[in-house]
Amino acid sequence: MSLPEMKRLAMRFHEALDYFEREGISQENEEPLSTIVYRRQEFETKGFVSESVPEGKLPRYRELFPWFEGRSLHRKYDHLDWNFEANLDEAIDIIRRAYLAYDRVPDKTEMYPDSIVDLAKRIDIGEYYSARRYWATIAYLEQMVSHDPEYYSANYLYRNADREWEVTRGDPDPSLTSYVGIKLDLLTLKAWSKA
């Protein structure tokens, strides 16, 4: 990788961090945000969100979600859960109150305040997912090193259609992939000067 390529790659991390900071996305709220964004992407692609409910929870769903009554249900193959189609607001309603259906106390990753829902409905999905790859790399490394200061992680980089280096999203063609070790002391939220 040449120095100009390394600089372009470093700038992608900075741009991702700037984007997440500008939108108010942090390690505390990113997981619930991504849950809603994923459903929004599905809704915008298919016109509905695929949901499922176990047989034993049907009465609870009817109690919690008035719109669920009379919903068309079907099973795929021999799976025991009932599947149904929901619109985006219904899907959000389910994830915000699913813990009630299962009689659980929610943890912090299951808290969906209005601010998170509003942000998930507003942000540009493509821009979010593009930035998330780079932000998540840094967040992951920080989390790992906080448990083990000597920890070294490695991330896949690949060349995109324009032959520029990018952090992978999913598993790219192995023939296009390089395995690159990244030390946290060289790559942190404040590392890699923009200069």
PDB file of all heavy atoms in Angstrom, residues 3-37:
ATOM      1  N   LEU A   3       1.937   5.342   0.273  1.00  0.00           N
ATOM      2  CA  LEU A   3       1.629   6.384   1.260  1.00  0.00           C
ATOM      3  C   LEU A   3       0.364   7.164   0.894  1.00  0.00           C
ATOM      4  O   LEU A   3      -0.478   7.418   1.758  1.00  0.00           O
ATOM      5  CB  LEU A   3       2.819   7.330   1.425  1.00  0.00           C
ATOM      6  CG  LEU A   3       4.003   6.740   2.199  1.00  0.00           C
ATOM      7  CD1 LEU A   3       5.177   7.723   2.202  1.00  0.00           C
ATOM      8  CD2 LEU A   3       3.605   6.406   3.626  1.00  0.00           C
ATOM      9  N   PRO A   4       0.162   7.544  -0.373  1.00  0.00           N
ATOM     10  CA  PRO A   4      -1.101   8.219  -0.718  1.00  0.00           C
ATOM     11  C   PRO A   4      -2.324   7.339  -0.435  1.00  0.00           C
ATOM     12  O   PRO A   4      -3.357   7.824   0.017  1.00  0.00           O
ATOM     13  CB  PRO A   4      -0.958   8.514  -2.217  1.00  0.00           C
ATOM     14  CG  PRO A   4       0.510   8.597  -2.434  1.00  0.00           C
ATOM     15  CD  PRO A   4       1.100   7.565  -1.504  1.00  0.00           C
ATOM     16  N   GLU A   5      -2.195   6.020  -0.693  1.00  0.00           N
ATOM     17  CA  GLU A   5      -3.307   5.110  -0.396  1.00  0.00           C
ATOM     18  C   GLU A   5      -3.564   5.037   1.107  1.00  0.00           C
ATOM     19  O   GLU A   5      -4.709   5.012   1.561  1.00  0.00           O
ATOM     20  CB  GLU A   5      -3.003   3.713  -0.949  1.00  0.00           C
ATOM     21  CG  GLU A   5      -3.104   3.615  -2.460  1.00  0.00           C
ATOM     22  CD  GLU A   5      -2.683   2.247  -2.975  1.00  0.00           C
ATOM     23  OE1 GLU A   5      -1.760   1.640  -2.419  1.00  0.00           O
ATOM     24  OE2 GLU A   5      -3.314   1.794  -3.957  1.00  0.00           O
ATOM     25  N   MET A   6      -2.476   5.000   1.890  1.00  0.00           N
ATOM     26  CA  MET A   6      -2.630   4.971   3.342  1.00  0.00           C
ATOM     27  C   MET A   6      -3.305   6.248   3.836  1.00  0.00           C
ATOM     28  O   MET A   6      -4.150   6.211   4.734  1.00  0.00           O
ATOM     29  CB  MET A   6      -1.267   4.808   4.009  1.00  0.00           C
ATOM     30  CG  MET A   6      -0.659   3.434   3.815  1.00  0.00           C
ATOM     31  SD  MET A   6       0.987   3.280   4.545  1.00  0.00           S
ATOM     32  CE  MET A   6       0.553   3.344   6.277  1.00  0.00           C
ATOM     33  N   LYS A   7      -2.953   7.377   3.250  1.00  0.00           N
ATOM     34  CA  LYS A   7      -3.564   8.636   3.670  1.00  0.00           C
ATOM     35  C   LYS A   7      -5.052   8.647   3.338  1.00  0.00           C
ATOM     36  O   LYS A   7      -5.876   9.071   4.164  1.00  0.00           O
ATOM     37  CB  LYS A   7      -2.864   9.808   2.987  1.00  0.00           C
ATOM     38  CG  LYS A   7      -3.402  11.159   3.449  1.00  0.00           C
ATOM     39  CD  LYS A   7      -2.607  12.320   2.897  1.00  0.00           C
ATOM     40  CE  LYS A   7      -3.169  13.632   3.408  1.00  0.00           C
ATOM     41  NZ  LYS A   7      -2.394  14.797   2.927  1.00  0.00           N
ATOM     42  N   ARG A   8      -5.421   8.164   2.141  1.00  0.00           N
ATOM     43  CA  ARG A   8      -6.841   8.122   1.780  1.00  0.00           C
ATOM     44  C   ARG A   8      -7.613   7.212   2.736  1.00  0.00           C
ATOM     45  O   ARG A   8      -8.731   7.509   3.152  1.00  0.00           O
ATOM     46  CB  ARG A   8      -7.015   7.642   0.335  1.00  0.00           C
ATOM     47  CG  ARG A   8      -6.756   8.720  -0.707  1.00  0.00           C
ATOM     48  CD  ARG A   8      -7.294   8.325  -2.064  1.00  0.00           C
ATOM     49  NE  ARG A   8      -6.620   7.157  -2.616  1.00  0.00           N
ATOM     50  CZ  ARG A   8      -5.503   7.218  -3.350  1.00  0.00           C
ATOM     51  NH1 ARG A   8      -4.948   8.393  -3.599  1.00  0.00           N
ATOM     52  NH2 ARG A   8      -4.960   6.122  -3.826  1.00  0.00           N
ATOM     53  N   LEU A   9      -6.998   6.062   3.085  1.00  0.00           N
ATOM     54  CA  LEU A   9      -7.644   5.136   4.010  1.00  0.00           C
ATOM     55  C   LEU A   9      -7.800   5.773   5.390  1.00  0.00           C
ATOM     56  O   LEU A   9      -8.852   5.666   6.020  1.00  0.00           O
ATOM     57  CB  LEU A   9      -6.832   3.846   4.107  1.00  0.00           C
ATOM     58  CG  LEU A   9      -7.406   2.756   5.005  1.00  0.00           C
ATOM     59  CD1 LEU A   9      -8.765   2.285   4.493  1.00  0.00           C
ATOM     60  CD2 LEU A   9      -6.437   1.581   5.102  1.00  0.00           C
ATOM     61  N   ALA A  10      -6.759   6.454   5.856  1.00  0.00           N
ATOM     62  CA  ALA A  10      -6.837   7.127   7.152  1.00  0.00           C
ATOM     63  C   ALA A  10      -7.948   8.171   7.154  1.00  0.00           C
ATOM     64  O   ALA A  10      -8.677   8.322   8.142  1.00  0.00           O
ATOM     65  CB  ALA A  10      -5.492   7.776   7.486  1.00  0.00           C
ATOM     66  N   MET A  11      -8.098   8.876   6.045  1.00  0.00           N
ATOM     67  CA  MET A  11      -9.145   9.906   5.972  1.00  0.00           C
ATOM     68  C   MET A  11     -10.531   9.289   6.082  1.00  0.00           C
ATOM     69  O   MET A  11     -11.455   9.906   6.612  1.00  0.00           O
ATOM     70  CB  MET A  11      -9.015  10.704   4.671  1.00  0.00           C
ATOM     71  CG  MET A  11      -7.842  11.659   4.655  1.00  0.00           C
ATOM     72  SD  MET A  11      -7.881  12.844   6.035  1.00  0.00           S
ATOM     73  CE  MET A  11      -9.403  13.713   5.688  1.00  0.00           C
ATOM     74  N   ARG A  12     -10.693   8.054   5.602  1.00  0.00           N
ATOM     75  CA  ARG A  12     -11.995   7.395   5.718  1.00  0.00           C
ATOM     76  C   ARG A  12     -12.364   7.189   7.191  1.00  0.00           C
ATOM     77  O   ARG A  12     -13.523   7.300   7.568  1.00  0.00           O
ATOM     78  CB  ARG A  12     -11.997   6.062   4.973  1.00  0.00           C
ATOM     79  CG  ARG A  12     -11.939   6.211   3.461  1.00  0.00           C
ATOM     80  CD  ARG A  12     -11.848   4.845   2.805  1.00  0.00           C
ATOM     81  NE  ARG A  12     -11.619   4.970   1.384  1.00  0.00           N
ATOM     82  CZ  ARG A  12     -12.586   4.918   0.471  1.00  0.00           C
ATOM     83  NH1 ARG A  12     -13.821   4.777   0.829  1.00  0.00           N
ATOM     84  NH2 ARG A  12     -12.283   5.018  -0.812  1.00  0.00           N
ATOM     85  N   PHE A  13     -11.363   6.857   8.014  1.00  0.00           N
ATOM     86  CA  PHE A  13     -11.627   6.714   9.447  1.00  0.00           C
ATOM     87  C   PHE A  13     -12.041   8.058  10.041  1.00  0.00           C
ATOM     88  O   PHE A  13     -12.991   8.149  10.804  1.00  0.00           O
ATOM     89  CB  PHE A  13     -10.397   6.168  10.166  1.00  0.00           C
ATOM     90  CG  PHE A  13     -10.185   4.694   9.978  1.00  0.00           C
ATOM     91  CD1 PHE A  13      -9.347   4.211   8.983  1.00  0.00           C
ATOM     92  CD2 PHE A  13     -10.830   3.778  10.800  1.00  0.00           C
ATOM     93  CE1 PHE A  13      -9.153   2.853   8.804  1.00  0.00           C
ATOM     94  CE2 PHE A  13     -10.641   2.410  10.630  1.00  0.00           C
ATOM     95  CZ  PHE A  13      -9.797   1.958   9.629  1.00  0.00           C
ATOM     96  N   HIS A  14     -11.316   9.108   9.679  1.00  0.00           N
ATOM     97  CA  HIS A  14     -11.657  10.439  10.200  1.00  0.00           C
ATOM     98  C   HIS A  14     -13.054  10.864   9.760  1.00  0.00           C
ATOM     99  O   HIS A  14     -13.822  11.414  10.546  1.00  0.00           O
ATOM    100  CB  HIS A  14     -10.625  11.474   9.734  1.00  0.00           C
ATOM    101  CG  HIS A  14      -9.357  11.428  10.516  1.00  0.00           C
ATOM    102  ND1 HIS A  14      -9.266  11.827  11.822  1.00  0.00           N
ATOM    103  CD2 HIS A  14      -8.113  11.011  10.167  1.00  0.00           C
ATOM    104  CE1 HIS A  14      -8.029  11.678  12.247  1.00  0.00           C
ATOM    105  NE2 HIS A  14      -7.313  11.169  11.264  1.00  0.00           N
ATOM    106  N   GLU A  15     -13.370  10.639   8.501  1.00  0.00           N
ATOM    107  CA  GLU A  15     -14.692  11.018   7.997  1.00  0.00           C
ATOM    108  C   GLU A  15     -15.793  10.248   8.719  1.00  0.00           C
ATOM    109  O   GLU A  15     -16.847  10.807   9.042  1.00  0.00           O
ATOM    110  CB  GLU A  15     -14.763  10.768   6.486  1.00  0.00           C
ATOM    111  CG  GLU A  15     -13.917  11.735   5.685  1.00  0.00           C
ATOM    112  CD  GLU A  15     -13.646  11.261   4.266  1.00  0.00           C
ATOM    113  OE1 GLU A  15     -14.135  10.167   3.889  1.00  0.00           O
ATOM    114  OE2 GLU A  15     -12.923  11.968   3.536  1.00  0.00           O
ATOM    115  N   ALA A  16     -15.555   8.961   8.979  1.00  0.00           N
ATOM    116  CA  ALA A  16     -16.543   8.157   9.700  1.00  0.00           C
ATOM    117  C   ALA A  16     -16.724   8.664  11.124  1.00  0.00           C
ATOM    118  O   ALA A  16     -17.854   8.795  11.611  1.00  0.00           O
ATOM    119  CB  ALA A  16     -16.114   6.686   9.711  1.00  0.00           C
ATOM    120  N   LEU A  17     -15.613   8.950  11.793  1.00  0.00           N
ATOM    121  CA  LEU A  17     -15.694   9.463  13.169  1.00  0.00           C
ATOM    122  C   LEU A  17     -16.411  10.805  13.202  1.00  0.00           C
ATOM    123  O   LEU A  17     -17.235  11.061  14.083  1.00  0.00           O
ATOM    124  CB  LEU A  17     -14.295   9.586  13.763  1.00  0.00           C
ATOM    125  CG  LEU A  17     -13.564   8.265  14.001  1.00  0.00           C
ATOM    126  CD1 LEU A  17     -12.102   8.512  14.342  1.00  0.00           C
ATOM    127  CD2 LEU A  17     -14.225   7.476  15.118  1.00  0.00           C
ATOM    128  N   ASP A  18     -16.100  11.670  12.246  1.00  0.00           N
ATOM    129  CA  ASP A  18     -16.769  12.981  12.177  1.00  0.00           C
ATOM    130  C   ASP A  18     -18.263  12.808  11.953  1.00  0.00           C
ATOM    131  O   ASP A  18     -19.081  13.505  12.558  1.00  0.00           O
ATOM    132  CB  ASP A  18     -16.164  13.830  11.050  1.00  0.00           C
ATOM    133  CG  ASP A  18     -14.751  14.305  11.355  1.00  0.00           C
ATOM    134  OD1 ASP A  18     -14.340  14.220  12.534  1.00  0.00           O
ATOM    135  OD2 ASP A  18     -14.058  14.734  10.414  1.00  0.00           O
ATOM    136  N   TYR A  19     -18.630  11.872  11.069  1.00  0.00           N
ATOM    137  CA  TYR A  19     -20.046  11.632  10.778  1.00  0.00           C
ATOM    138  C   TYR A  19     -20.780  11.141  12.023  1.00  0.00           C
ATOM    139  O   TYR A  19     -21.857  11.648  12.366  1.00  0.00           O
ATOM    140  CB  TYR A  19     -20.178  10.606   9.643  1.00  0.00           C
ATOM    141  CG  TYR A  19     -21.585  10.132   9.413  1.00  0.00           C
ATOM    142  CD1 TYR A  19     -22.500  10.916   8.716  1.00  0.00           C
ATOM    143  CD2 TYR A  19     -22.019   8.899   9.906  1.00  0.00           C
ATOM    144  CE1 TYR A  19     -23.802  10.487   8.507  1.00  0.00           C
ATOM    145  CE2 TYR A  19     -23.317   8.464   9.703  1.00  0.00           C
ATOM    146  CZ  TYR A  19     -24.201   9.264   9.006  1.00  0.00           C
ATOM    147  OH  TYR A  19     -25.492   8.839   8.818  1.00  0.00           O
ATOM    148  N   PHE A  20     -20.220  10.160  12.715  1.00  0.00           N
ATOM    149  CA  PHE A  20     -20.873   9.623  13.913  1.00  0.00           C
ATOM    150  C   PHE A  20     -20.982  10.690  14.998  1.00  0.00           C
ATOM    151  O   PHE A  20     -22.006  10.779  15.679  1.00  0.00           O
ATOM    152  CB  PHE A  20     -20.117   8.398  14.422  1.00  0.00           C
ATOM    153  CG  PHE A  20     -20.644   7.101  13.863  1.00  0.00           C
ATOM    154  CD1 PHE A  20     -20.682   6.875  12.495  1.00  0.00           C
ATOM    155  CD2 PHE A  20     -21.111   6.106  14.701  1.00  0.00           C
ATOM    156  CE1 PHE A  20     -21.177   5.695  11.973  1.00  0.00           C
ATOM    157  CE2 PHE A  20     -21.611   4.909  14.192  1.00  0.00           C
ATOM    158  CZ  PHE A  20     -21.648   4.706  12.825  1.00  0.00           C
ATOM    159  N   GLU A  21     -19.933  11.497  15.148  1.00  0.00           N
ATOM    160  CA  GLU A  21     -19.980  12.567  16.154  1.00  0.00           C
ATOM    161  C   GLU A  21     -21.029  13.607  15.783  1.00  0.00           C
ATOM    162  O   GLU A  21     -21.804  14.064  16.628  1.00  0.00           O
ATOM    163  CB  GLU A  21     -18.602  13.222  16.281  1.00  0.00           C
ATOM    164  CG  GLU A  21     -18.538  14.283  17.357  1.00  0.00           C
ATOM    165  CD  GLU A  21     -17.142  14.864  17.524  1.00  0.00           C
ATOM    166  OE1 GLU A  21     -16.182  14.310  16.960  1.00  0.00           O
ATOM    167  OE2 GLU A  21     -17.027  15.891  18.211  1.00  0.00           O
ATOM    168  N   ARG A  22     -21.090  13.955  14.511  1.00  0.00           N
ATOM    169  CA  ARG A  22     -22.053  14.955  14.040  1.00  0.00           C
ATOM    170  C   ARG A  22     -23.495  14.483  14.254  1.00  0.00           C
ATOM    171  O   ARG A  22     -24.371  15.267  14.623  1.00  0.00           O
ATOM    172  CB  ARG A  22     -21.799  15.235  12.559  1.00  0.00           C
ATOM    173  CG  ARG A  22     -22.606  16.369  11.969  1.00  0.00           C
ATOM    174  CD  ARG A  22     -22.121  16.742  10.581  1.00  0.00           C
ATOM    175  NE  ARG A  22     -22.233  15.661   9.610  1.00  0.00           N
ATOM    176  CZ  ARG A  22     -21.196  14.998   9.087  1.00  0.00           C
ATOM    177  NH1 ARG A  22     -19.962  15.304   9.455  1.00  0.00           N
ATOM    178  NH2 ARG A  22     -21.387  14.032   8.207  1.00  0.00           N
ATOM    179  N   GLU A  23     -23.736  13.196  14.063  1.00  0.00           N
ATOM    180  CA  GLU A  23     -25.080  12.645  14.213  1.00  0.00           C
ATOM    181  C   GLU A  23     -25.407  12.262  15.658  1.00  0.00           C
ATOM    182  O   GLU A  23     -26.530  11.863  15.953  1.00  0.00           O
ATOM    183  CB  GLU A  23     -25.259  11.420  13.308  1.00  0.00           C
ATOM    184  CG  GLU A  23     -25.172  11.718  11.827  1.00  0.00           C
ATOM    185  CD  GLU A  23     -26.341  12.555  11.318  1.00  0.00           C
ATOM    186  OE1 GLU A  23     -27.291  12.808  12.089  1.00  0.00           O
ATOM    187  OE2 GLU A  23     -26.296  12.972  10.154  1.00  0.00           O
ATOM    188  N   GLY A  24     -24.416  12.345  16.544  1.00  0.00           N
ATOM    189  CA  GLY A  24     -24.655  11.992  17.939  1.00  0.00           C
ATOM    190  C   GLY A  24     -24.702  10.492  18.182  1.00  0.00           C
ATOM    191  O   GLY A  24     -25.342  10.028  19.130  1.00  0.00           O
ATOM    192  N   ILE A  25     -24.005   9.729  17.351  1.00  0.00           N
ATOM    193  CA  ILE A  25     -23.983   8.276  17.494  1.00  0.00           C
ATOM    194  C   ILE A  25     -22.746   7.890  18.302  1.00  0.00           C
ATOM    195  O   ILE A  25     -21.644   8.365  18.026  1.00  0.00           O
ATOM    196  CB  ILE A  25     -23.945   7.582  16.127  1.00  0.00           C
ATOM    197  CG1 ILE A  25     -25.103   8.068  15.244  1.00  0.00           C
ATOM    198  CG2 ILE A  25     -24.004   6.066  16.286  1.00  0.00           C
ATOM    199  CD1 ILE A  25     -25.012   7.617  13.794  1.00  0.00           C
ATOM    200  N   SER A  26     -22.935   7.022  19.291  1.00  0.00           N
ATOM    201  CA  SER A  26     -21.843   6.621  20.162  1.00  0.00           C
ATOM    202  C   SER A  26     -21.932   5.125  20.438  1.00  0.00           C
ATOM    203  O   SER A  26     -22.875   4.453  20.006  1.00  0.00           O
ATOM    204  CB  SER A  26     -21.916   7.385  21.486  1.00  0.00           C
ATOM    205  OG  SER A  26     -23.074   6.982  22.203  1.00  0.00           O
ATOM    206  N   GLN A  27     -20.959   4.601  21.190  1.00  0.00           N
ATOM    207  CA  GLN A  27     -20.997   3.185  21.536  1.00  0.00           C
ATOM    208  C   GLN A  27     -22.200   2.869  22.422  1.00  0.00           C
ATOM    209  O   GLN A  27     -22.648   1.733  22.467  1.00  0.00           O
ATOM    210  CB  GLN A  27     -19.703   2.778  22.249  1.00  0.00           C
ATOM    211  CG  GLN A  27     -18.501   2.780  21.313  1.00  0.00           C
ATOM    212  CD  GLN A  27     -17.270   2.154  21.922  1.00  0.00           C
ATOM    213  OE1 GLN A  27     -17.355   1.099  22.536  1.00  0.00           O
ATOM    214  NE2 GLN A  27     -16.131   2.794  21.761  1.00  0.00           N
ATOM    215  N   GLU A  28     -22.724   3.863  23.104  1.00  0.00           N
ATOM    216  CA  GLU A  28     -23.875   3.648  23.978  1.00  0.00           C
ATOM    217  C   GLU A  28     -25.183   3.500  23.208  1.00  0.00           C
ATOM    218  O   GLU A  28     -26.096   2.816  23.654  1.00  0.00           O
ATOM    219  CB  GLU A  28     -24.009   4.803  24.991  1.00  0.00           C
ATOM    220  CG  GLU A  28     -22.968   4.782  26.102  1.00  0.00           C
ATOM    221  CD  GLU A  28     -21.572   5.136  25.608  1.00  0.00           C
ATOM    222  OE1 GLU A  28     -21.448   6.010  24.725  1.00  0.00           O
ATOM    223  OE2 GLU A  28     -20.606   4.500  26.077  1.00  0.00           O
ATOM    224  N   ASN A  29     -25.306   4.167  22.066  1.00  0.00           N
ATOM    225  CA  ASN A  29     -26.596   4.126  21.366  1.00  0.00           C
ATOM    226  C   ASN A  29     -26.544   3.484  19.976  1.00  0.00           C
ATOM    227  O   ASN A  29     -27.566   3.362  19.318  1.00  0.00           O
ATOM    228  CB  ASN A  29     -27.199   5.537  21.262  1.00  0.00           C
ATOM    229  CG  ASN A  29     -26.364   6.489  20.419  1.00  0.00           C
ATOM    230  OD1 ASN A  29     -25.540   6.090  19.599  1.00  0.00           O
ATOM    231  ND2 ASN A  29     -26.570   7.778  20.625  1.00  0.00           N
ATOM    232  N   GLU A  30     -25.360   3.052  19.532  1.00  0.00           N
ATOM    233  CA  GLU A  30     -25.255   2.555  18.158  1.00  0.00           C
ATOM    234  C   GLU A  30     -25.965   1.223  17.954  1.00  0.00           C
ATOM    235  O   GLU A  30     -26.575   1.001  16.906  1.00  0.00           O
ATOM    236  CB  GLU A  30     -23.779   2.432  17.764  1.00  0.00           C
ATOM    237  CG  GLU A  30     -23.556   2.380  16.253  1.00  0.00           C
ATOM    238  CD  GLU A  30     -23.770   0.994  15.664  1.00  0.00           C
ATOM    239  OE1 GLU A  30     -23.552  -0.010  16.380  1.00  0.00           O
ATOM    240  OE2 GLU A  30     -24.153   0.910  14.490  1.00  0.00           O
ATOM    241  N   GLU A  31     -25.930   0.341  18.940  1.00  0.00           N
ATOM    242  CA  GLU A  31     -26.554  -0.975  18.751  1.00  0.00           C
ATOM    243  C   GLU A  31     -28.069  -0.874  18.562  1.00  0.00           C
ATOM    244  O   GLU A  31     -28.609  -1.439  17.603  1.00  0.00           O
ATOM    245  CB  GLU A  31     -26.216  -1.910  19.914  1.00  0.00           C
ATOM    246  CG  GLU A  31     -26.655  -3.336  19.648  1.00  0.00           C
ATOM    247  CD  GLU A  31     -26.114  -4.327  20.670  1.00  0.00           C
ATOM    248  OE1 GLU A  31     -25.131  -4.008  21.351  1.00  0.00           O
ATOM    249  OE2 GLU A  31     -26.690  -5.420  20.782  1.00  0.00           O
ATOM    250  N   PRO A  32     -28.796  -0.160  19.433  1.00  0.00           N
ATOM    251  CA  PRO A  32     -30.233  -0.017  19.164  1.00  0.00           C
ATOM    252  C   PRO A  32     -30.518   0.757  17.878  1.00  0.00           C
ATOM    253  O   PRO A  32     -31.475   0.449  17.164  1.00  0.00           O
ATOM    254  CB  PRO A  32     -30.772   0.712  20.400  1.00  0.00           C
ATOM    255  CG  PRO A  32     -29.596   1.249  21.112  1.00  0.00           C
ATOM    256  CD  PRO A  32     -28.426   0.398  20.743  1.00  0.00           C
ATOM    257  N   LEU A  33     -29.683   1.735  17.576  1.00  0.00           N
ATOM    258  CA  LEU A  33     -29.858   2.484  16.330  1.00  0.00           C
ATOM    259  C   LEU A  33     -29.741   1.554  15.133  1.00  0.00           C
ATOM    260  O   LEU A  33     -30.584   1.570  14.233  1.00  0.00           O
ATOM    261  CB  LEU A  33     -28.813   3.595  16.232  1.00  0.00           C
ATOM    262  CG  LEU A  33     -28.838   4.396  14.928  1.00  0.00           C
ATOM    263  CD1 LEU A  33     -29.996   5.381  14.921  1.00  0.00           C
ATOM    264  CD2 LEU A  33     -27.523   5.117  14.703  1.00  0.00           C
ATOM    265  N   SER A  34     -28.718   0.697  15.125  1.00  0.00           N
ATOM    266  CA  SER A  34     -28.506  -0.191  13.978  1.00  0.00           C
ATOM    267  C   SER A  34     -29.652  -1.190  13.830  1.00  0.00           C
ATOM    268  O   SER A  34     -29.983  -1.589  12.710  1.00  0.00           O
ATOM    269  CB  SER A  34     -27.169  -0.935  14.123  1.00  0.00           C
ATOM    270  OG  SER A  34     -27.192  -1.830  15.209  1.00  0.00           O
ATOM    271  N   THR A  35     -30.263  -1.579  14.942  1.00  0.00           N
ATOM    272  CA  THR A  35     -31.403  -2.501  14.886  1.00  0.00           C
ATOM    273  C   THR A  35     -32.556  -1.883  14.104  1.00  0.00           C
ATOM    274  O   THR A  35     -33.192  -2.544  13.281  1.00  0.00           O
ATOM    275  CB  THR A  35     -31.871  -2.852  16.316  1.00  0.00           C
ATOM    276  OG1 THR A  35     -30.789  -3.474  17.011  1.00  0.00           O
ATOM    277  CG2 THR A  35     -33.057  -3.793  16.289  1.00  0.00           C
ATOM    278  N   ILE A  36     -32.818  -0.615  14.359  1.00  0.00           N
ATOM    279  CA  ILE A  36     -33.913   0.066  13.666  1.00  0.00           C
ATOM    280  C   ILE A  36     -33.541   0.371  12.218  1.00  0.00           C
ATOM    281  O   ILE A  36     -34.355   0.209  11.305  1.00  0.00           O
ATOM    282  CB  ILE A  36     -34.324   1.346  14.412  1.00  0.00           C
ATOM    283  CG1 ILE A  36     -34.806   0.987  15.824  1.00  0.00           C
ATOM    284  CG2 ILE A  36     -35.417   2.094  13.654  1.00  0.00           C
ATOM    285  CD1 ILE A  36     -35.120   2.189  16.689  1.00  0.00           C
ATOM    286  N   VAL A  37     -32.303   0.814  11.995  1.00  0.00           N
ATOM    287  CA  VAL A  37     -31.869   1.123  10.625  1.00  0.00           C
ATOM    288  C   VAL A  37     -31.967  -0.119   9.742  1.00  0.00           C
ATOM    289  O   VAL A  37     -32.388  -0.038   8.583  1.00  0.00           O
ATOM    290  CB  VAL A  37     -30.436   1.691  10.614  1.00  0.00           C
ATOM    291  CG1 VAL A  37     -29.903   1.801   9.183  1.00  0.00           C
ATOM    292  CG2 VAL A  37     -30.398   3.054  11.291  1.00  0.00           C
TER     293      VAL A  37
END
